[in-house]
Structure formats: structure tokens, C-alpha cells
Amino acid sequence: MTQQTAPSIFDLAGFWQLASADGSHSLPMPVPGDVHSALLAAGRIADPYVGRNEVEVQWVAHKDWVLERHFSLDDIAGHWYLDIDYLDTIATVEVNDTVVLKADNCFRRWRPDVSKALRSGENTIRITIHSSIAAGAELQAQQPFYVPYHPGNSPIANGNMLRKPQCHFGWDWNIAIAPLGLYGTIALKRLETARIEHVVTRQIHHEDGSVDLHVKLMLHAEQPGVLPVHFSFDGERVRLDCGVRSGETVIHHVFHVAEPRLWWPAGSGAQALYTLDVEIPTEQVTRQIGLRTIELLTTPDEAGSRFAFRVNGREIFCRGANWIPADALFSRTSPVKTEALLQAAADAHMNMIRVWGGGFYEHDWFYDICDRLGLMVWQDFMFACNLYPCTDEFLENVAAEVDYQVNRLSSHPSIALWCGDNELVGALTWFDVSRNNRDRYLVAYDRLNRLVEQRMKKAAPDALWWPSSPASGYLDYGDAWHADGSGDMHYWSVWHENKSFDEYRSVRPRFCSEFGFQSYTSLPVIRGFAAEKDMNIASPVIELHQKNAGGNERIAGTMFRYFRFPTNFANFVYLSQVQQALAIKTAVDFWRSLKPHCMGTLYWQLNDTWPVASWASLDHGGSWKVLHYIARRFFQPVTVVAIPDTKRNLIRFSIVNDTAEPVDVDVNLFLLSLSGERTPLRSASCVGSPDHATTFATIDAAEIPPQALLAWSFTASNGMAGEGHHVGGTYKALDLEPSSLALAAKPLADGTVEITVKAAGLALFVMLESETPGRYSDNAFDLASGESRRIVFTPASPSGEGEVPQFRVYDLHSCQA
């Protein structure tokens, strides 16, 4: 029991009592939290991520669950309301057995008046979270016509009926357990004159370089009154005594910044941030403000039309990946874990993250982190890969969602673009009912899409809007999976259509916002959910942790195409990650070499929600896979790429320069024999033009002996450097010789470990691995004969003094020999 005599704010977070509505379970649950995690902590279910437990816990989502707690209030005078967000999803809230809220949208903030329900002394609050599975079926039955969902992505039916993360119903990378809970705020608050609904800003950038920051404060009051409002920004503090009316009152204030420090995306300048504080007597809202302009260029040209972002007057090539929820279960996430994932993106030279439309509008701290790291955010609205209702009730619910989310988030400098949905235009062609009655479903889609656009533009008139991803243009419902002349593209022919990696060079996207190739999650992660007997790609446990139909076969089939087959399961996992990295590198290198024709590559995907075979470059838990180490190289702002022509007769070398200054680049080309000997081929010194890709050399494939590799290294005048190799045919055609890798490790005083790897022969894709989680200063690199490399390993958690983890080392020859 909690006692509080005269609170204005009563935080109801903490332990509640959780019970199934049928009385079969009763246990404590932390709020914020989720039901599955509470059941696991109480020993009522096994870990859903381990073995085949996913199947065993699916009963949880079929039940209704009741959360309850008690609190005491002595002084109940005045207007009281509950403040709730991230309530997932269909829920009834009662105070002292009086229903005060019927919630039906995980993406809205709820503030029901509870004044009449409160009583002096002990009070009870009860939240019944209804089964989303039952609710979805009921809502589907109420539709005027059937609204299909994608059963491959959503094995749990009818998730498209609910304003809830769509990936909760499964996906081709996610566990299908339809979690439920309360993941955000739960507080009881007394309304003292007025409360803050939103603080929203707009920026006016003048020709003289100065900026006006327009601050819009939205207040809500139950009755007229007067209250002081303080605005503070950049050392200036202003007090306004404001009258408020019953309902909403809007107050405006403008700050003038004569000499602003501008916010830039990562790699293009500093992330200058200002603090804006808005205060009323009972509440304060703080916003991070970055002063910047942003434009989306879609001007027509000979190929179609452009798709390029211009920030502060400079075009920015977008390097990044797609973001999905940090974990399938909310209780396993945290700001610290999320920041580590986003920091990994920044460490790999990314400057944009696409928040994909099948998850969440993330918590405020997610965008705060992106602001600090310089990660632009392509923000989807939460609609993905299904069709959706267009009833008045559904659209009214969506309108309130859009109003809330855009007002909440639009002031973040990291928010670059608002996008209507993920792949809904394509979904119109995926179902018999929509193919046979396209007009009906196209009109339904248009009603939803137009509503989202209109409400978004009303809340943030200056923000950038894009109707869907992929889309060839505004009101263009064409095939943006294969048409590459305009707009943003999702290119999936290599993975889903089983085409060769060379096919990445058959398209010339203006901006590729999705493309990917799968690999297995790393062996230490697999050992966390599978027993030794399960270490086989065809075992039921490994197959359950592969959610894309045919995914394991496609990984194996690609190996047959490019490599000699690995000798055991551990090597299979390693080689799957090597080929994933090669696939994405092939695409990124070519598309970056087309700059400024192409102005963005966002691969699918950055992170995983649970331990699973997927397209991610980070394991569940945040460890770097091979792809992420190689992405740090291919996304480097200045790099050298080798692009073969369609017949592989010529190899074109280009400098890609994403910086605003010219760079002098020295390149050494050489041949690598299969024994690891280097033979110089030629050297070149050239200038990489600012924000451009420049071809500086062409090599005839005839200059490369059949059993040799073309390799290179480069250094740039801005301090960047790199290396790479090119294989004219396939790796399986190479009669690789033993690399005879030797590894030595010793602890350092700061708790890190120094690892030295030396090769006696040619070692390709040298990969260090340990059961101890942590980060390597470099990984997935090549060594020629006699070469060594010093690597620093930083454990995720401090080790004992003098302790050295056990390390494994892989390379291409040893995994196949």
C-alpha cells in the first residue's frame, strides 16, 4: 500500500498483481512490462526464445489478463486524470470498478478523467488487457468486406485489424506470440489550472543565416484560468502570464538565433543541440532542438526523377539500415541496450535509420539518441505488408494516432521524413480478393493514406512526406520493387527470387530503402537457445528459428553457387555470414559508385528482435556479425570500390567521396596468389571530388591469372584508409592453400584483450569469435602471407583481473578444408 496525502502526480509504475481473467494464474508483474516476461520470471512459462518453447507459450495471447493495484489518496478534490501510453492494446481501465477508459490503440496517449471514480482513502485501479487474437477476429467479422493480411508474415491472424505492432503477430524474422502489456507511462495526475499536451517547434531560416524558432505550446484545461508560462532557450528565459479557456489553448513564442550552430547528420558536421524548456507551475517539458533545414529532391531527370535529401543546403548520401523493435518482448529492452544498437550503427558510418512500419513509434529517448548521434530517421507510420480497414471508426482512431505521434516527434532534428507505410501498395497485388476487386481495395488504401498525409501535414506543415515505401512517386502505384528510375526502391530479387549477387548491378536505384540477404545468427547466440544435438541446419530447433519460408535452403543453395561447402555446423554459420556480407557489399559498392544518380542505401536490417536467422547485421544482444564489420568499411565516407562490367571483362575502380571537401587518394593495386604472395600491379594517385563518385582506373580481367585475386589498399588525405579484394569468378573455383593462422591473446591493464593474428598463407575473411560477448576493433579482414594484425577485444562486461577469454578463429580455407 502506498500512502500520499496530497499529490499532484502519483506515479503508478511498480509491481502490480497480474491474473488471468479465468483465474488460472496469479502473480506479480512490474509495470512498465509485458505479460510473457512476468510469467517467465514467476516460473509459469519457459523462455520463449529457447528451443521450441515458442509453440508452448502461444496460449498466453489467447487469454485476457488483469492487472491490479491499490493506492491511497486523502485529498481527492479537483480534476484528476490518468496518463497512459504504450498500452498494448485492447484494454479496459477501471478505477474503483468504474470504467474510465476503453483503449484500442497502442500508439496513442490516453488521458481519461477519473475525478468521479476516485474516493478518499484506498482506491483500486484495474486494467484488463483483452486477447488481441480474439479482438482481431471479432473486428474482422465486423468489416463491411474482408480485409486480408499476409499469412507468411503474420501466422497469427487478423493483426491488421488492430493498432498494435504488426510484427507482434509474427514476421519472417520474428517470434509469433502476440505479446501484451503496458510499456510506457502509468500515472495519476491532478489538473492544476492546465496541463501540457504538446510542445512543437518550427524553424524559419533566413538568408542572413539567422534562425527563428517558433514554439507552439498546447495546453488543456477543464475551466478558464490564468497561469505563468516560462520559455527557456539558448540562455534566454521568458515569462508569459497566459489565460486559458476550457479545452485547448495554444500559446506561441519565437526565439531569434542570430548566429546558430547547425545540426548535421553524422559524418557531415557537428550535431549541435540546444535545450528548449517549457514550464508551467506543475510541469516542465524539455526538448532537444537541432537547427537545420532539410529538403527532399524529386526533380525529373533523364532517368526518371531524383530522390535525394539536402540538409543545410548540401546533398547527403544516406548510408544506413532498417530498424525493427529492439526486442520482441518489451521487458528485455532498455535505453542502454537501444543506445548500444544505435551506437553500433553510427560506428559503422551510418547516418540514417529507417524506423520500419511494422513495429513501434519508438520512445522519446530513441529519437534523443538519434539526435545526439547524427542518425537521420526515416519514420514510417505503423502500417506494414497488409491491407487495412477504412471504416470511419478505424480512420478516426488512426487520425488521433497520427496527431499524437507527429506532434510528439516532429521537433527532433533527426526526423528526416514521414512515410505513409511499408509495402501497402505492393500488398494490393498479393491477395486474390484485392486482385479480383482492385478498385475497392485501392480506394480503401487511398482513404487511409490520404488521411495519414493530411493529419501529418496539419500537425507539421514543414515536415517531409513520402506516401509509401517503396514508391516511384506521389500517387504512383507502380512496381517499385523492380522499377528503378524514380523514388525509393525495395530490391529483393537477389534474396526472394534467388538471383545471383551480380543482379544487384542490374538496377540503378535512386534510393534503395530495403534490400537484404540472410545469414545465421552467430554461434555463441545459437548456443543460447539450442542444445548440441540441435546443431544442424535441418534440426527442428534451428528450423523454428528461421521464419522465412525456404530461408535455410536459400542460404545453403547460395553457398553451392559461390563456395565449397563448409565442413561442419560452426563453419556453416560463419560462411553464411561471409556470403551475406558479400551480397550487401556488392550492392552498396555499385550503388555508391553511381552517386549522385543514387543517393541512399538502407539495407535490411540492422538488428534482431530475438535469436533467429535473419537479414540483420547485429545479433540479438548487439554483437557484430560479419556484415557489420564489413559495413563499417563499405560505408566509410571515403572509400575505393571495384565494379566489374556485366561480362566481367573489365573492373572499374572508383573513389567514392561523401565529404564536402576534395580528397587526395593514393591507391596500390596488386595480385594475390593463393599462397598469399603479393605482386604489385600498379599505383594511382587521384582526387576524389566533393560529394561525388569518380572513376580513376580500369583493369582488364585478362591481367588477373585464373588462380589469383586482384587486391588493393588506399589512403586518403583526410586520414581514411582501406583495402579490399576482387575475385573474377567464384570462391569455390579457387584452390585455396592453408593459411596456418596463429593466434595469441593477452590481457591489457584497461580490461581489454590484445589479440595478434598471424597468417603463414593467404587468409580471407579472418573472423575472431568468443563465447564472451564483446567488440573487436576489427574483424572479417584479409591477411597475406606473413602478415599479422593486432586486434583489441573489449568485453561487454568486465572480466576478472588477468582473465583472457577463449577465442576461435575462422577463415575461408579452414572452413571448407
Side-chain angles (χ1 to χ4, degrees):
M1 187 73 64
T2 303
Q3 296 284 343
Q4 189 162 332
T5 55
S8 292
I9 300 176
F10 189 1
D11 189 355
L12 293 170
F15 276 92
W16 294 47
Q17 192 65 21
L18 173 69
S20 56
D22 60 12
S24 57
H25 295 273
S26 182
L27 60 148
M29 173 175 157
V31 175
D34 66 84
V35 171
H36 286 84
S37 295
L39 290 167
L40 175 61
R44 306 298 178 87
I45 62 172
D47 188 335
Y49 295 2
V50 173
R52 302 177 70 192
N53 293 338
E54 174 188 358
V55 178
E56 303 302 320
V57 306
Q58 288 179 330
W59 61 269
V60 174
H62 288 271
K63 289 183 179 291
D64 292 352
W65 293 89
V66 180
L67 282 163
E68 186 172 289
R69 68 162 288 174
H70 305 287
F71 61 94
S72 277
L73 277 178
D74 293 332
D75 179 8
I76 60 171
H79 296 283
W80 290 86
Y81 64 97
L82 287 172
D83 195 353
I84 309 173
D85 62 4
Y86 291 97
L87 176 54
D88 185 13
T89 288
I90 306 297
T92 303
V93 181
E94 299 170 85
V95 174
N96 299 324
D97 299 319
T98 298
V99 174
V100 295
L101 173 66
K102 286 185 174 291
D104 60 355
N105 191 325
C106 186
F107 309 130
R108 288 175 62 179
R109 184 181 193 180
W110 305 101
R111 288 177 153 185
D113 188 294
V114 297
S115 304
K116 295 180 180 178
L118 292 173
R119 56 190 177 215
S120 182
E122 183 176 288
N123 291 261
T124 300
I125 181 171
R126 183 182 305 114
I127 303 175
T128 302
I129 306 178
H130 304 282
S131 166
S132 60
I133 298 174
E138 182 179 340
L139 288 167
Q140 182 70 266
Q142 296 171 5
Q143 297 304 308
F145 51 85
Y146 178 68
V147 184
Y149 64 93
H150 192 300
N153 285 332
S154 304
I156 299 176
N158 301 314
N160 56 332
M161 296 293 103
L162 303 175
R163 297 311 300 139
K164 171 180 172 63
Q166 297 296 275
C167 66
H168 279 182
F169 301 93
W171 217 261
D172 55 4
W173 39 261
N174 198 32
I175 191 169
I177 55 175
L180 60 167
L182 201 166
Y183 317 136
T185 303
I186 175 71
L188 178 67
K189 298 181 178 180
R190 177 155 45 191
L191 187 62
E192 305 280 1
T193 309
R195 69 177 181 230
I196 296 175
E197 291 288 275
H198 291 290
V199 174
V200 183
T201 63
R202 293 180 65 187
Q203 300 175 22
I204 306 298
H205 290 249
H206 300 290
E207 290 185 2
D208 64 0
S210 66
V211 178
D212 288 334
L213 182 72
H214 291 249
V215 184
K216 178 182 177 182
L217 169 63
M218 288 176 264
L219 298 170
H220 173 84
E222 289 295 324
Q223 57 194 30
V226 177
L227 81 169
V229 178
H230 287 91
F231 295 94
S232 302
F233 182 77
D234 195 27
E236 182 180 352
R237 181 174 170 86
V238 176
R239 170 175 171 150
L240 302 177
D241 292 313
C242 302
V244 296
R245 63 177 69 88
S246 177
E248 182 179 85
T249 298
V250 178
I251 298 168
H252 296 273
H253 185 70
V254 179
F255 289 98
H256 181 73
V257 185
E259 297 181 354
R261 304 184 308 277
L262 296 181
W263 182 94
W264 287 92
S268 296
Q271 289 73 58
L273 291 169
Y274 296 79
T275 299
L276 169 68
D277 285 316
V278 179
E279 301 171 60
I280 60 175
T282 57
E283 195 174 358
Q284 177 176 335
V285 170
T286 300
R287 292 277 185 266
Q288 276 183 166
I289 302 298
L291 302 177
R292 57 100 176 110
T293 63
I294 187 163
E295 305 160 82
L296 179 61
L297 308 179
T298 58
T299 48
D301 60 15
E302 291 181 358
S305 60
R306 303 198 67 208
F307 193 100
F309 289 91
R310 186 158 60 195
V311 180
N312 300 328
R314 181 177 158 222
E315 290 188 25
I316 304 292
F317 190 98
C318 298
R319 308 179 301 265
N322 285 257
W323 171 270
I324 60 176
D327 205 285
L329 292 173
F330 167 81
S331 297
R332 300 190 181 196
T333 68
S334 71
V336 171
K337 291 178 181 178
T338 296
E339 181 158 12
L341 296 173
L342 293 171
Q343 183 66 58
D347 289 345
H349 300 295
M350 296 186 194
N351 60 16
M352 178 174 274
I353 291 293
R354 175 178 175 235
V355 177
W356 169 76
F360 286 99
Y361 307 92
E362 295 288 342
H363 283 72
D364 290 294
W365 41 260
F366 174 95
Y367 303 93
D368 287 338
I369 295 167
C370 290
D371 294 341
R372 295 197 302 271
L373 294 178
L375 291 171
M376 295 181 287
V377 175
W378 172 311
Q379 178 67 55
D380 281 1
F381 287 95
M382 293 298 116
F383 305 91
C385 296
N386 293 313
L387 302 185
Y388 289 87
C390 65
T391 60
D392 290 344
E393 294 80 9
F394 186 85
L395 295 179
E396 288 170 6
N397 199 357
V398 169
E401 167 190 325
V402 173
D403 290 348
Y404 168 61
Q405 295 294 348
V406 177
N407 278 310
R408 177 173 74 97
L409 298 176
S410 61
S411 294
H412 285 277
S414 56
I415 295 283
L417 180 78
W418 292 92
C419 178
D421 59 71
N422 177 78
E423 298 190 350
L424 264 59
V425 174
L428 290 165
T429 69
W430 296 347
F431 312 103
D432 286 341
V433 293
S434 56
R435 285 193 297 266
N436 295 335
N437 197 341
R438 182 172 171 82
D439 289 351
R440 166 188 281 177
Y441 290 93
L442 182 58
V443 168
Y445 169 74
D446 189 62
R447 287 193 71 191
L448 173 62
N449 191 253
R450 288 295 186 93
L451 172 91
V452 173
E453 177 187 9
Q454 290 164 3
R455 300 306 286 240
M456 172 263 172
K457 288 184 174 178
K458 180 180 179 182
D462 300 330
L464 299 180
W465 160 260
W466 190 242
S468 181
S469 186
S472 296
Y474 190 71
L475 297 181
D476 188 327
Y477 298 107
D479 180 4
W481 284 261
H482 298 91
D484 59 356
S486 303
D488 76 309
M489 186 180 195
H490 289 189
Y491 187 67
W492 281 104
S493 294
V494 172
W495 175 257
H496 286 301
E497 298 173 30
N498 201 28
K499 293 188 176 182
S500 75
F501 295 171
D502 290 336
E503 290 296 313
Y504 283 122
R505 293 189 286 264
S506 71
V507 294
R508 300 167 61 87
R510 314 314 300 265
F511 192 109
C512 200
S513 49
E514 268 195 33
F515 61 103
F517 199 91
Q518 268 203 0
S519 73
Y520 284 90
T521 189
S522 300
L523 189 63
V525 178
I526 293 174
R527 287 188 167 140
F529 68 77
E532 203 63 35
K533 66 181 176 61
D534 301 315
M535 301 296 174
N536 186 297
I537 62 170
S539 75
V541 168
I542 297 299
E543 287 191 335
L544 187 70
H545 288 251
Q546 163 62 272
K547 295 301 185 182
N548 184 239
N552 288 350
E553 294 93 324
R554 197 162 296 125
I555 292 172
T558 303
M559 283 186 190
F560 278 119
R561 180 183 288 166
Y562 294 111
F563 300 99
R564 302 183 187 189
F565 214 65
T567 58
N568 56 35
F569 182 74
N571 285 325
F572 187 91
V573 170
Y574 156 75
L575 192 54
S576 79
Q577 293 195 10
V578 169
Q579 75 176 11
Q580 176 194 33
L582 285 171
I584 304 308
K585 183 178 187 300
T586 300
V588 172
D589 281 356
F590 178 60
W591 295 339
R592 286 189 75 191
S593 80
L594 301 179
K595 180 181 178 176
H597 174 89
C598 175
M599 285 300 291
T601 61
L602 310 179
Y603 66 73
W604 185 270
Q605 71 218 54
L606 179 69
N607 56 309
D608 271 331
T609 57
W610 72 308
V612 66
S614 85
W615 299 267
S617 62
L618 298 175
D619 284 317
H620 180 249
S623 295
W624 290 28
K625 294 161 74 172
V626 172
L627 170 56
H628 209 81
Y629 285 104
I630 289 182
R632 183 168 60 181
R633 295 178 205 138
F634 65 60
F635 274 154
Q636 187 172 245
V638 175
T639 190
V640 170
V641 298
I643 310 297
D645 65 5
T646 55
K647 295 183 179 180
R648 290 183 169 264
N649 292 330
L650 296 173
I651 300 99
R652 169 173 57 87
F653 279 85
S654 295
I655 298 169
V656 180
N657 181 10
D658 285 350
T659 75
E661 302 295 331
V663 290
D664 297 319
V665 179
D666 294 321
V667 184
N668 291 309
L669 305 177
F670 48 90
L671 298 176
L672 268 177
S673 72
L674 298 189
S675 62
E677 300 300 321
R678 293 180 185 263
T679 301
L681 191 60
R682 70 182 67 170
S683 298
S685 296
C686 39
V687 176
S689 301
D691 287 317
H692 209 272
T694 307
T695 297
F696 67 89
T698 301
I699 300 294
D700 192 322
E703 297 183 57
I704 308 169
Q707 290 291 310
L709 291 75
L710 175 63
W712 64 91
S713 62
F714 73 90
T715 57
S717 56
N718 65 355
M720 296 181 187
E723 60 188 15
H725 74 253
H726 169 77
V727 173
T730 61
Y731 287 90
K732 71 181 181 181
L734 300 175
D735 292 323
L736 294 173
E737 300 176 19
S739 55
S740 302
L741 289 170
L743 184 150
K746 64 178 183 180
L748 300 178
D750 60 0
T752 62
V753 178
E754 180 185 80
I755 307 167
T756 303
V757 184
K758 185 171 184 178
L762 177 62
L764 301 177
F765 306 112
V766 177
M767 183 71 182
L768 299 165
E769 184 178 82
S770 174
E771 299 300 320
T772 301
R775 174 83 62 82
Y776 302 85
S777 59
D778 197 9
N779 221 338
F781 50 84
D782 298 338
L783 292 174
S785 176
E787 290 183 342
S788 63
R789 187 158 305 191
R790 176 184 177 272
I791 306 298
V792 175
F793 174 73
T794 304
S797 301
S799 304
E801 186 176 352
E803 289 186 7
V804 175
Q806 293 292 312
F807 295 99
R808 292 182 291 273
V809 60
Y810 301 88
D811 79 309
L812 187 56
H813 173 267
S814 63
C815 94
Q816 301 174 135

